[in-house]
Structures are given as C-alpha cells and as structure tokens.
Amino acid sequence: MTIATANYDLTPQEKKFVGWHLILAISALSVGSLFGPLQAFEHAGWDLYPYLQPVFKSYYQGLTIHGVLNALVWTTAFITGFLTLTTIRGLQRSLRYPKLNYTGFWVMVVGVLVTAVPLLANNASVLYTFYPPMKADWLFYVGLTLVVIGSWIEGYGFYFTMAAWRKEHPGETYPFIALASSVTMAMWQIATLGVAIEILTLLLPWAWGMVGGIDIQLARTYFWFTGHPLVYFWLLPAYLSWYAMLPKQAGGKLFSDSMARLVFWLFLLTSVPVGFHHQYVDPGVPDSWKFIHSILTYSVAFPSMLTAFTVIAGLEYAGRKRGGKGLFGWIKALPWDDPSVVSQLLAGILFFFGGIGGITNASYNVNLVIHNTAWVPGHFHLTVSSAATLSFMGITYWLVPYLTGRKLWKPKWALIQAWMWFIGMLIFSNAMHVLGLLGAPRRTPLGEAPYVPAEWNGHLLRVGIGGAILFVAVYLYIFIIAKTAFGGEKASESEQVTIPVAEPLHASPIPAWMDTFKPWLIGAVLLVVIAYAPVLIDLITHAVGSPGFRVW
Ligand code: HAS
Ligand code: CU
C-alpha cells in the first residue's frame, strides 16, 4: 500500500493557483459576513438596515448576499483550492492538465461576478435556496451555473491526474488524501445534476420568458436533490483534514486508514438520495418516499459516527504520545497553543451538537416541530459555519504560511479568534435552537414582527450578542490572514511549514474493492434512481405552471 509520507512541495505556480482560490474564497467571506451580524442585530432589535439605504435595500437582500457568498462561494472556492493541493500532495505529482484546472477556476470567478450583479442591484433577493415562484434576474441563475460548471471542470482535472498516477504506479493503492479529494468531487458532480437540471430546464426558460410558468414542487425537488449532498461537499474536506492532517499536527497518526477510506466511499454511496428530508411537509411527495429518504438519512449519518470514533481515537493516540494520562488527560495534552489545531478541535466539538441536531431533524415527527423555524439556521451554523468554516479557517492557519513562506501573523490572536468563533457560535446557535422550539420562524425579520411574545426577547438578545462576537471573530480572521499573506515575516529555512500528512497507525493492506470507483459509482447512481425516479417522473408528467413573483 502507498501512503505518501515524505515531504513534497508544490511548485511556485501551483502554490499561486491554490492561493488564488483562497483570495476568491476570503473575498466572498469578507463581503458575505457583513450581513450575518446585521440579521442577528435585527433580531435583537438593533436594526441597522435603515442606515444602509439606499445601497442595501432590505433584510432579504442582505440575507441572500450572506447565504450565497458565505454558504456557496466561500465554501466552493476554498474547497476546490484545498482539494487541488491535497490531490497534488497526495499523488506527489503535478496536475495532468493544469490549464484545464485554470479554466475551471476562472469560469468560477466569472460566475461569481455575474451572480454579484443582480445580487447587489437587489434584483435577486430570493435567498440562497432561490425557491420559485420568487423570480430572480436571469443573470443570477447563469452566474450560479457558471460557478458549478467551473467546479466540475476542476474536478475533471483531478480525475485525469488520478488516472495518470494510476498508470505510473501500477498495483499501488491511491494515497488516501488524493482518493478522498476525488471521491468528494465525484459525489459533488452527481449531486449537482439536480440543480443543473432545475436551472437549465425550469428556471432559465422561465426567467427568459420562454415559458409562462414554473412547477414549484418539481423545482424544489431538483433543488434538494443537490441541496442535501451540498452539505457533505462542505463537510468532507474538513473530514479529510481531521482524518489525515489534524493527527499529524497534533503529533499522532491516522488511526485507521481503511476506515477513513470506507467513510468516504459510504458518503459517495448515500449522500444524494436523501433530499426529501427537506421536504417532509411538501404535499407533492408521497409519504412512502419520504420514509425511504428518512431511512437513507440515518444511513448517511452513520459514516459521521464512524468519523467521530476514529478521529477521536487518533487524537487520543496523539495526546497519550504527548504524555497525557488517565481518562481525559490526553485531551489536555493536545497542542492547545496551536491555532490551526484548536480551530479544528473546536469545530469538531461544535459538530457534535450540529450532528445530533441533524439526526433530530431527520425524524419525520420532530421535523414537523422545527421545520421552517429558527432551529434550522441554528443547526446549520453548527455545521456549515462551524464544522466546515471553522475547520477551513484552521487549515488556512498553516496553509497560508505554507503557500507564502511567511510566518503566521500573531498566532496568539489566531487562538483568540478560534475561541471567539466557538463561544459566539455556542451563544448564537443555542439561542436559535431554543427560539425554534418556541415557534420563532426562520427567514424573518423578527425585530419588526408584531407577534413576538415576551419569552423570546432574552433569546433574541443572545442572537444579537452571539452575532456580535462572530462579527469580530470573522474580521479578526480575515485581518490575520491578510497580514500573514501580505505583510508577514519571512520564515527562515528551518521555520518553513510543510503540508501535514499523517501516517497510518497500522500499515494494513487495502482491499481492492476499496480502491476502485466503479462499484461505488454504480451503487450511488442506482440508489439515486430508486430514491428519485418514480417521484420525478410523476412530478414531470403532472407539472403545472406558476407565474413569477418579486416579493421584495
Ligand atoms: Fe443538516 C437542514 C439532517 C448534517 C447543513 N442542514 C440543514 C440545512 C443546512 C444543513 C444548511 O433531516 C438547512 C437547509 C435549508 O436552508 O433549509 N444534517 C442532517 C443530518 C446530518 C446533517 C441527519 N447538515 C449537516 C451538515 C451540514 C448541514 C454536515 C453542513 C455542513 N439537516 C438535516 C435535516 C434538515 C437539515 C433533516 C432539514 C430541516 C428542515 O426541516 O428544514 C448528519 O449528517 C449529521 C451526522 C453527524 C454526526 C456527528 C458526528 C460528530 C463528529 C465530531 C467529532 C469530534 C471531534 C472533536 C473530531 C453524527 C464527527 C474532538 C475534540 C476533542 C477536544 C477531543
Ligand atoms: Cu439535508
């Protein structure tokens, strides 16, 4: 078996290419993050939107910019860049067709710019789920399509590179981090077929006036076909780091190489056919199919449980090697002074709560209580904004010094930043969960709502306080990264950061079925067909048309 252990350096050109992804990602985050706190402040009764007139028109414009730039652009740009690095480092070879990957990246950049035009002009305040019959300017749909196509092209670049490596290394096993990168991309490419079909066959013809109406139920079904696995596109790069990089940073090893591989294959298999857990209340989906998707949702939670055990076992190994004793002494022995490690540990702790909340959501009966309430943004701020985002922040704390050859600017401040994110998120998301249970709706300017009962007020205030802490934390992060990249002290030869890749604890052979895409891809497609085809055929044959509305 092969696990790359020797240091391998990217070429300056490759480093620059990964760096461009980070610039796109962090630029999106820096604009998108302006609006999150504005929403939180509005909930707490400090509505700042009137002061932003006439530049930003409404709460909903802000909420859309926040969701699109943070949840869609920051993540996708970071992930494609990070997976480029892990593919090259894993295979210890350059991209097979670098120009293909460059093309993918620039298509993504054009897509972001095209999306930004209607967003900033308040012509696409349809939120990040862009449910019809709310109708955005067509540029919004075209821009998002380009972002997705750009990410696909980068994915093809990974596959060609994997195939070239395979030819050069007959009989060897794909190195884990490269395999995990391509599995993530393959899952994403199956997943995004839903939104691609939604945009090309429904939204664009409708936005261009070629058809009079749109079938709302069909559009929602296509959307959630993509919408759920989208969350694993955010999560899996964090898992890649937790499995194969974090243990090395903490002084340990990858606890089980084969388990890590199995987890990624299971995600490829089960991530997509679960979208109806977002549509439990939708009238056009038969109960039997909601049941099937609910069972499959519990199946896709399983690899995360495996991850919790395996990653924590790897961390325990590291902690004990560092001298930690007793039941919990190993936790104390972990490097709590390393901001990259701490960000990822705190992201994992927050994900415990987010994951339990996810399993709660997946239960049909309980979902009826929390659906469309503030509980849901409470859930996803622990997942996409913590498990993924806080991990990505932690990764950049070594990645930017690696790419630039500079030292991280004030590591103590980076530590404070990670803890601020953790504390801000605990306050914010706990308040949102409680508000949801009390019946507070999501996607609503609650500060203005006339029906708010007194018992919500304390929790709304906590939303504002949590939001304020997160606001400081995110701009502190951006400041630290900018200072490191553009003004950081040059690292000496001995201080140069290398890419952390953990060795497996046991070098056991990997069975052939865990080193080939074919059976897993066939299984994934089959499950999708079983879980979706009958409902989609029914919805397509009974499609009806609604006109578009501009509700903002
Ligand atoms: Fe979810 C709604 C179910 C995971 C994101 N989810 C959402 C929405 C988003 C989102 C964005 O079934 C809202 C969409 C919208 O706008 O309407 N979710 C689940 C389930 C899981 C889950 C079953 N979600 C995620 C992840 C996300 C994410 C991951 C983003 C990254 N979710 C739902 C459902 C809804 C939903 C319903 C619809 C609600 C509604 O009605 O609208 C599972 O995958 C979760 C499994 C996770 C675990 C946790 C394992 C714990 C680990 C931590 C290890 C700890 C470490 C730290 C390493 C079982 C791995 C150690 C530290 C030391 C110090 C030692
Ligand atoms: Cu979901």
Side-chain angles (χ1 to χ4, degrees):
M1 62 154 291
T2 310
I3 270 283
T5 50
N7 287 332
Y8 176 87
D9 212 9
L10 271 64
T11 64
Q13 180 74 6
E14 289 166 345
K15 287 186 180 172
K16 226 184 234 164
F17 183 49
V18 174
W20 274 108
H21 285 83
L22 294 188
I23 290 175
L24 176 63
I26 295 173
S27 309
L29 184 71
S30 60
V31 179
S33 299
L34 278 174
F35 297 93
L38 290 185
Q39 261 95 246
F41 296 165
E42 194 281 341
H43 278 30
W46 324 315
D47 187 7
L48 300 181
Y49 276 102
Y51 303 103
L52 298 177
Q53 305 281 355
V55 183
F56 295 106
K57 306 284 188 305
S58 70
Y59 177 89
Y60 288 103
Q61 187 186 9
L63 187 53
T64 309
I65 296 176
H66 178 62
V68 170
L69 290 185
N70 284 11
L72 303 180
V73 181
W74 143 256
T75 50
T76 309
F78 176 87
I79 291 166
T80 44
F82 180 56
L83 297 185
T84 304
L85 173 122
T86 47
T87 299
I88 297 173
R89 169 63 181 85
L91 300 176
Q92 306 212 356
R93 90 183 296 293
S94 293
L95 293 169
R96 176 73 181 83
Y97 300 116
K99 285 195 182 134
L100 185 68
N101 288 64
Y102 302 161
T103 309
F105 175 72
W106 290 107
V107 169
M108 237 163 40
V109 173
V110 173
V112 172
L113 295 176
V114 170
T115 312
V117 173
L119 272 182
L120 296 175
N122 195 29
N123 284 329
S125 298
V126 290
L127 308 184
Y128 86 109
T129 41
F130 49 93
Y131 288 152
M134 285 193 292
K135 192 175 190 176
D137 188 319
W138 63 270
L139 280 174
F140 177 77
Y141 305 123
V142 169
L144 286 184
T145 307
L146 291 176
V147 173
V148 171
I149 292 177
S151 70
W152 283 357
I153 298 174
E154 293 214 52
Y156 303 145
F158 298 164
Y159 308 151
F160 282 123
T161 313
M162 289 280 278
W165 182 91
R166 190 59 127 187
K167 251 200 195 143
E168 295 154 4
H169 298 81
E172 290 186 31
T173 309
Y174 287 125
F176 169 68
I177 59 172
L179 179 79
S181 311
S182 278
V183 171
T184 304
M185 264 296 170
M187 186 280 290
W188 171 241
Q189 296 197 349
I190 300 175
T192 36
L193 290 175
V195 79
I197 297 174
E198 182 195 4
I199 293 182
L200 296 179
T201 68
L202 299 178
L203 291 169
L204 271 180
W206 178 61
W208 280 329
M210 290 158 61
V211 292
I214 192 161
D215 189 282
I216 293 159
Q217 189 64 76
L218 180 59
R220 286 168 67 89
T221 305
Y222 283 139
F223 181 83
W224 287 115
F225 181 107
T226 300
H228 181 80
L230 168 64
V231 313
Y232 298 126
F233 182 61
W234 297 330
L235 182 70
L236 290 186
Y239 274 10
L240 189 165
S241 173
W242 294 0
Y243 271 111
M245 299 179 145
L246 180 61
K248 171 81 176 181
Q249 292 176 280
K253 294 197 172 178
L254 165 58
F255 189 73
S256 168
D257 185 24
S258 45
M259 180 71 90
R261 288 166 197 263
L262 180 66
V263 160
F264 275 79
W265 288 125
L266 288 176
F267 273 112
L268 177 59
L269 193 66
T270 54
S271 286
V272 184
V274 296
F276 290 149
H277 70 223
H278 293 266
Q279 297 177 263
Y280 283 147
V281 299
D282 283 21
V285 181
D287 284 350
S288 44
W289 255 266
K290 290 178 181 166
F291 178 73
I292 293 172
H293 281 227
S294 143
I295 299 292
L296 286 166
T297 302
Y298 285 103
S299 316
V300 76
F302 178 66
S304 283
M305 294 178 192
L306 294 181
T307 301
F309 283 108
T310 320
V311 171
I312 292 172
L315 290 171
E316 179 176 354
Y317 175 83
R320 294 202 185 282
K321 241 179 88 187
R322 302 170 70 91
K325 299 249 176 327
L327 201 53
F328 298 113
W330 61 269
I331 298 179
K332 219 176 128 217
L334 292 171
W336 289 98
D337 56 348
D338 177 337
S340 175
V341 171
V342 170
S343 302
Q344 297 182 69
L345 293 178
L346 297 180
I349 294 171
L350 291 174
F351 189 50
F352 262 118
F353 301 110
I356 293 167
I359 292 171
T360 314
N361 300 344
S363 151
Y364 182 84
N365 322 42
V366 185
N367 186 274
L368 299 184
V369 177
I370 55 83
H371 185 66
N372 273 340
T373 70
W375 168 288
V376 177
H379 163 66
F380 69 66
H381 279 82
L382 291 176
T383 52
V384 61
S385 322
S386 297
T389 294
L390 185 53
S391 293
F392 296 170
M393 288 172 166
I395 291 168
T396 50
Y397 282 145
W398 66 259
L399 180 55
V400 172
Y402 169 73
L403 296 175
T404 56
R406 295 174 188 273
K407 289 202 241 175
L408 180 65
W409 184 79
K410 297 217 192 294
K412 276 243 160 66
W413 281 100
L415 262 184
I416 293 172
Q417 186 274 329
W419 279 103
M420 280 182 80
W421 193 268
F422 179 71
I423 292 165
M425 201 54 94
L426 277 181
I427 298 173
F428 171 85
S429 70
N430 177 267
M432 291 291 272
H433 277 90
V434 175
L435 278 165
L437 293 179
L438 294 174
R442 68 184 284 199
R443 301 170 160 143
T444 305
L446 291 173
E448 279 174 28
Y451 49 78
V452 172
E455 65 168 335
W456 293 6
N457 286 338
H459 305 299
L460 289 170
L461 182 65
R462 286 198 298 138
V463 168
I465 294 170
I469 299 174
L470 289 166
F471 183 76
V472 178
V474 74
Y475 287 104
L476 182 55
Y477 164 72
I478 293 165
F479 188 72
I480 293 168
I481 291 297
K483 277 293 237 184
T484 304
F486 303 111
E489 192 189 329
K490 279 272 171 208
S492 67
E493 197 64 41
S494 63
E495 291 166 334
Q496 292 294 337
V497 173
T498 54
I499 304 174
V501 183
E503 286 175 49
L505 188 55
H506 304 289
S508 48
I510 302 297
W513 57 269
M514 264 208 226
D515 198 45
T516 171
F517 279 76
K518 217 183 195 165
W520 299 100
L521 282 174
I522 294 174
V525 172
L526 269 180
L527 269 184
V528 170
V529 171
I530 294 169
Y532 268 111
V535 180
L536 279 176
I537 291 170
D538 188 51
L539 287 173
I540 293 167
T541 44
H542 295 101
V544 289
S546 162
F549 294 92
R550 185 183 164 119
V551 291
W552 63 92

